[in-house]
C-alpha cells in the first residue's frame, strides 16, 4: 500500500533521511519511535509530500507520488494527516472544519456532508460541540475534531505526527482511545509517537528511527523486550 | 484700557480676520473645493492602490507557476516575481513627491490630461506598493500549519488560500489597510506640486489673497486632524469588533 524506495531528504546541507526503503501493507499500524531530530516527522511528511524527497520514490496504492506528473491533491485525499498542533481552522465552526474539504473537493452536497460530519462527531464523542469554534475547545477535543476532519475525506491511510505530545496528560487518553478505535476498524496507520504503551498495544509493527534510517523494526512487544540494536537499547532505557 | 476692553478688541480683530479669510467673496469655498479633491483623490487612490497591491502581491507570489510542469512557465513565474519585486522596491525607496512629478511631467508630459486623474494614478501606484506589503504581512502572519492542514486534506494551494488563509488574514489586513488610507490622506497634501487644488492648496490660495497665513493654514490642519481622528477612532472600534469575533 505504501512503498518507499531509498528515500532521502536533505534540508540544504543537513542530510535528514538517509535511505528509507519500506513496504507498509494495507491495515498495518506502524508506530515510529526514535530520538528527537532523527527524522520521524520528516519521514511521515514525505509520505504525503508535505516535504519533497530529494531522492528516492514513494508509491502509494501502486501510484508513484514522487513522479512529477502525479496529481498530488488527488493522492492526498486518500491520506489523512493529524498534526501535533491540531491545526484546526479557527475561523470556522467545528462543523465547517469537517465539511469544508468534502464539499470543496469531492463536491458532496451540504446535507450529505453534514450527515457524515455528525456521524464522525458521534464517533469521537463530540457531537455536542458541532457549532462550537476551535478557540473554545480543549486540546484533547481539538485533536479529536482534527481526526474527524481527516476521516471525513474517507482516507485509506492515516498519518499521525505525535498527536498527543501537545496535550495535557489528562487529555492524552481520550485521543488515544479514538485512535485505538480507528485501528480496530482496520485503518492503515502510520503513527509517530512517544506513547510507548500505545505503541505496544496498537502497533502491528514498530520502526525505530535513528539518524535518518530505520535502525531496527519488528513487532513492538518483541522490540521492547529484546532490542537488538545498541541505539535502540539506549533509547528505550532512556524513555522507560 | 481694562481687560474687557482689550478682550473685546481681540474678538473684533479675530472676527474681522475670519471674515476676510473665509466669508468675503465666499473664500471658504476654496477650502471646501480643496477638501473635496483631497477626499476624491484619497478614496480613488486607495481603491487603485488595493488593485495594484493585489496585482503586485500575486506577481510576487506567482506560486501557481512554481510547480508547473513546463520550464517556460516556471521561467515566466520568475520574471513576474522580479517585476513585482522591482515595483515594490523602487516605489518604497523613492519620495512620493518625486514620483508624482515624474508621472505628471515626464510620463504624461506630451498628453493633455486632467491633473486630478494623474494624482489618483500616482497615489494609487504608490500606495499599491505598500498595500502589497500589507497583504504579504497579513498572509505571513497565518501559521504555516494552516496551509499544511489544508493541503493534507487534498485542497489545492489556491483553494487553501481562498478558504483558509485569506479569510483569517483579512482580519489582520483590514485595520492596516485603513491606516494606509489615513497615511494617504495626509500624503495627498503635496498634489499642489502639479497644481491640483486640494485642502492644503485651497488654504494656501486664501493665504495668497489675504496675506494672512495663520487662519487658513491652521484651519486646514484642523480639518485634516478631525477627519483623521474620526477615522482612527472608527478603525479602533472596528478592530475591537474583529477581535470580539475571534473569541467566539
Ligand atoms: N523545514 C526544515 N528546514 C530545515 N531543517 C529541518 C526542517 N524540518 C526539519 N528539519 C531538521 O531535520 C531534522 C529532523 O527533523 P524531524 O522533525 O524529522 O525530527 P523528529 O524525529 O520528528 O524529531 P522530534 O521528535 O523532535 O519531533 C532536525 O534536525 C530538524 O531540525
Ligand atoms: Mg517530529
Amino acid at each position: 500500500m505504501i512503498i518507499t524506495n531509498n528515500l532521502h531528504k536533505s534540508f540544504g546541507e543537513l542530510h535528514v533521511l538517509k535511505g528509507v526503503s519500506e513496504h507498509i501493507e494495507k491495515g498495518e499500524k506502524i508506530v515510529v519511535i526514535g530520538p528527537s531530530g532523527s527524522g520521524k516527522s520528516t519521514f511521515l511528511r514525505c509520505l504525503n509530500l508535505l516535504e519533497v524527497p530529494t531522492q528516492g520514490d514513494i508509491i502509494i496504492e501502486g501510484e508513484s507520488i514522487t513522479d512529477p506528473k502525479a496529481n498530488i491533491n488527488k493522492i492526498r485525499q486518500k491520506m489523512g494527516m493529524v498534526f501535533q498542533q491540531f491545526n484546526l481552522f479557527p475561523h470556522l465552526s467545528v462543523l465547517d472544519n469537517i465539511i469544508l474539504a468534502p464539499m470543496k473537493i469531492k463536491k458532496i452536497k451540504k446535507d450529505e456532508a453534514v450527515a457524515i460530519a455528525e456521524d464522525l462527531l458521534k464517533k469521537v464523542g463530540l457531537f455536542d460541540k458541532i457549532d462550537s469554534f476551535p478557540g473554545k475547545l480543549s486540546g484533547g477535543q481539538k485533536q479529536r475534531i482534527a481526526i474527524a476532519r481527516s476521516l471525513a475525506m474517507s482516507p485509506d491511510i492515516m498519518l499521525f505526527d505525535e498527536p498527543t505530545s501537545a496535550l495535557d496528560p489528562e487529555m492524552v487518553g481520550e485521543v488515544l482511545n479514538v485512535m485505538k478505535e480507528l485501528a480496530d476498524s482496520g485503518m492503515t496507520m502510520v503513527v509517530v509517537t512517544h506513547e510507548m504503551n500505545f505503541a505496544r498495544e496498537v502497533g502491528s509493527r514498530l520502526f525505530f528511527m535513528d539518524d535518518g534510517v530505520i535502525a531496527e523494526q519488528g513487532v513492538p512487544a518483541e522490540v521492547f523486550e529484546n532490542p537488538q540494536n545498541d541505539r535502540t537499547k539506549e533509547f528505550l532505557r532512556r524513555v522507560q | 484700557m481694562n481687560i474687557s476692553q482689550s478682550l473685546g478688541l481681540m474678538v473684533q480683530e479675530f472676527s474681522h480676520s475670519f471674515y476676510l479669510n473665509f466669508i468675503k467673496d465666499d473664500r471658504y469655498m476654496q477650502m471646501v473645493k480643496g477638501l473635496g479633491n483631497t477626499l476624491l483623490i484619497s478614496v480613488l487612490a486607495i481603491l487603485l492602490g488595493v488593485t495594484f497591491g493585489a496585482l503586485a502581491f500575486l506577481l510576487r507570489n506567482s506560486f501557481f507557476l512554481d510547480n508547473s510542469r513546463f520550464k517556460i512557465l516556471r521561467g515566466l513565474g520568475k520574471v513576474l516575481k522580479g517585476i513585482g519585486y522591482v515595483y515594490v522596491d523602487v516605489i518604497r525607496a523613492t519620495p512620493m513627491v518625486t514620483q508624482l512629478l515624474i508621472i505628471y511631467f515626464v510620463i504624461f508630459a506630451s498628453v493633455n490630461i486632467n491633473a486630478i486623474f494623474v494624482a489618483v494614478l500616482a497615489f494609487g501606484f504608490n500606495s499599491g506598493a505598500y498595500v502589497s506589503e500589507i497583504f504579504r504581512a497579513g498572509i505571513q502572519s497565518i501559521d504555516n500549519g494552516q496551509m499544511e492542514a489544508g493541503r493534507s486534506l487534498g485542497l489545492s494551494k489556491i483553494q487553501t488560500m481562498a478558504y483558509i488563509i485569506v479569510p483569517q488574514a483579512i482580519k489582520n489586513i483590514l485595520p492596516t489597510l485603513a491606516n494606509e488610507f489615513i497615511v494617504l490622506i495626509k500624503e495627498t497634501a503635496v498634489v499642489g506640486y502639479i497644481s491640483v487644488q486640494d485642502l492644503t492648496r485651497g488654504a494656501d490660495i486664501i493665504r495668497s489673497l489675504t496675506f494672512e497665513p495663520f487662519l487658513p493654514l491652521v484651519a486646514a490642519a484642523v480639518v485634516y486632524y478631525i477627519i483623521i481622528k474620526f477615522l482612527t477612532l472608527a478603525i479602533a472600534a472596528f478592530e475591537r469588533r474583529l477581535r470580539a469575533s475571534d473569541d467566539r
Side-chain angles (χ1 to χ4, degrees):
Chain A
M1 175 159 251
I2 305 174
I3 300 171
T4 69
N5 222 332
N6 192 28
L7 200 60
H8 286 258
K9 173 69 184 178
S10 300
F11 296 104
E13 293 288 286
L14 186 67
H15 198 171
V16 176
L17 289 187
K18 300 175 180 169
V20 178
S21 302
E22 287 300 333
H23 284 229
I24 297 172
E25 300 301 330
K26 188 168 164 36
E28 274 200 281
K29 290 95 182 67
I30 304 290
V31 288
V32 185
I33 63 170
S36 180
S38 57
K40 306 182 295 293
S41 297
T42 305
F43 170 64
L44 198 71
R45 292 159 58 82
C46 278
L47 295 183
N48 70 351
L49 246 48
L50 283 184
E51 303 292 355
V52 181
T54 29
Q55 193 192 318
D57 300 320
I58 303 171
I59 294 152
I60 307 279
E61 298 181 335
E63 210 177 330
S64 169
I65 66 170
T66 32
D67 185 325
K69 286 195 200 68
N71 181 345
I72 184 58
N73 295 331
K74 196 97 195 153
I75 294 158
R76 281 185 181 137
Q77 292 166 31
K78 293 189 280 187
M79 310 212 284
M81 181 150 198
V82 175
F83 302 86
Q84 185 175 345
Q85 297 300 336
F86 329 124
N87 295 342
L88 291 183
F89 307 135
H91 63 302
L92 298 179
S93 70
V94 164
L95 178 68
D96 288 335
N97 262 276
I98 299 176
I99 65 177
L100 176 75
M103 284 180 62
K104 298 300 177 195
I105 299 170
K106 292 187 169 172
K107 312 287 178 201
I108 292 177
K109 290 216 181 58
K110 177 146 188 190
D111 46 354
E112 212 176 311
V114 170
I116 294 171
E118 288 176 345
D119 195 42
L120 286 166
L121 282 172
K122 282 175 195 155
K123 279 206 179 107
V124 302
L126 289 170
F127 183 63
D128 57 324
K129 299 292 181 196
I130 188 160
D131 292 320
S132 300
F133 278 80
K136 286 273 186 280
L137 302 177
S138 73
Q141 291 171 334
K142 280 185 198 165
Q143 197 60 298
R144 286 187 280 157
I145 301 292
I147 294 172
R149 179 177 69 181
S150 288
L151 292 176
M153 288 297 290
S154 3
D156 299 338
I157 301 165
M158 283 288 284
L159 310 174
F160 293 84
D161 192 359
E162 300 196 31
T164 59
S165 292
L167 298 178
D168 291 337
E170 71 268 23
M171 292 172 186
V172 170
E174 61 190 64
V175 172
L176 292 182
N177 283 338
V178 167
M179 291 170 63
K180 274 179 201 156
E181 273 168 36
L182 190 60
D184 291 340
S185 75
M187 177 66 73
T188 309
M189 292 163 68
V190 184
V191 185
V192 176
T193 186
H194 289 303
E195 296 291 331
M196 296 303 154
N197 287 330
F198 175 86
R200 186 195 302 261
E201 278 175 48
V202 178
S204 60
R205 191 149 53 115
L206 177 141
F207 290 172
F208 171 69
M209 195 138 199
D210 186 48
D211 196 21
V213 295
I214 293 171
E216 179 166 1
Q217 62 171 291
V219 175
E222 286 171 15
V223 177
F224 285 131
E225 301 327 322
N226 191 14
Q228 302 299 309
N229 184 306
D230 285 344
R231 299 278 297 165
T232 321
K233 286 179 194 163
E234 189 196 324
F235 176 77
L236 289 176
R237 198 172 334 109
R238 263 192 294 118
V239 297
Q240 272 163 357
Chain B
M1 206 160 63
N2 61 29
I3 290 178
S4 75
Q5 272 175 327
S6 65
L7 258 181
L9 207 63
M10 271 170 70
V11 170
Q12 220 178 347
E13 250 172 55
F14 180 81
S15 39
H16 176 70
S17 198
F18 191 87
Y19 171 79
L20 192 69
N21 280 293
F22 300 126
I23 312 294
K24 189 169 178 241
D25 302 334
D26 280 349
R27 281 181 185 150
Y28 74 98
M29 282 308 292
Q30 301 284 1
M31 283 178 66
V32 171
K33 180 183 168 205
L35 176 61
N37 282 338
T38 293
L39 294 179
L40 179 73
I41 292 169
S42 303
V43 169
L44 293 181
I46 194 74
L47 294 178
L48 197 61
V50 169
T51 313
F52 278 130
L55 279 175
F57 177 78
L58 285 179
L59 285 183
R60 295 181 70 183
N61 298 278
S62 310
F63 46 71
F64 46 93
L65 296 175
D66 277 358
N67 302 320
S68 170
R69 260 168 243 168
F70 306 103
K71 199 168 174 191
I72 183 143
L73 285 183
R74 289 199 299 270
L76 179 68
K78 282 212 182 79
V79 173
L80 293 180
K81 262 182 207 174
I83 294 174
Y85 174 80
V86 168
Y87 162 57
V88 173
D89 190 51
V90 168
I91 290 293
R92 295 207 309 161
T94 53
M96 178 64 232
V97 188
T98 317
Q99 294 164 20
L100 180 70
L101 294 176
I102 289 176
I103 292 181
Y104 188 66
F105 289 112
V106 179
I107 297 180
F108 288 111
S110 51
V111 224
N112 190 1
I113 200 162
N114 184 324
I116 291 186
F117 175 82
V118 174
V120 168
L121 205 66
F123 282 98
F125 196 66
N126 173 275
S127 197
Y130 293 91
V131 170
S132 109
E133 286 294 289
I134 291 171
F135 285 170
R136 197 165 67 105
I139 300 284
Q140 258 176 8
S141 70
I142 305 302
D143 180 61
N144 193 244
Q146 295 288 307
M147 177 56 85
E148 292 191 344
R151 298 305 308 275
S152 74
L153 286 166
L155 293 166
S156 69
K157 193 158 187 171
I158 291 174
Q159 283 176 317
T160 311
M161 273 285 170
Y163 301 123
I164 296 166
I165 309 294
V166 170
Q168 294 182 61
I170 278 188
K171 290 190 182 185
N172 303 331
I173 289 173
L174 281 181
T176 334
L177 206 54
N179 278 320
E180 169 65 15
F181 181 55
I182 287 181
V183 171
L184 198 57
I185 291 177
K186 288 186 283 184
E187 285 214 312
T188 55
V190 300
V191 288
Y193 273 93
I194 60 168
S195 310
V196 172
Q197 182 175 343
D198 71 324
L199 180 57
T200 300
R201 180 47 79 91
D204 203 45
I205 289 172
I206 299 177
R207 179 195 59 79
S208 66
L209 293 172
T210 62
F211 300 107
E212 284 189 16
F214 181 79
L215 266 190
L217 293 179
V218 169
V222 167
V223 174
Y224 280 115
Y225 181 85
I226 291 171
I227 294 173
I228 282 157
K229 204 72 198 172
F230 172 77
L231 286 174
T232 311
L233 291 174
I235 294 169
F238 177 62
E239 268 189 297
R240 270 197 303 279
R241 275 189 49 192
L242 279 184
R243 233 175 291 126
S245 75
D246 268 352
D247 5 277
R248 44 194 175 183

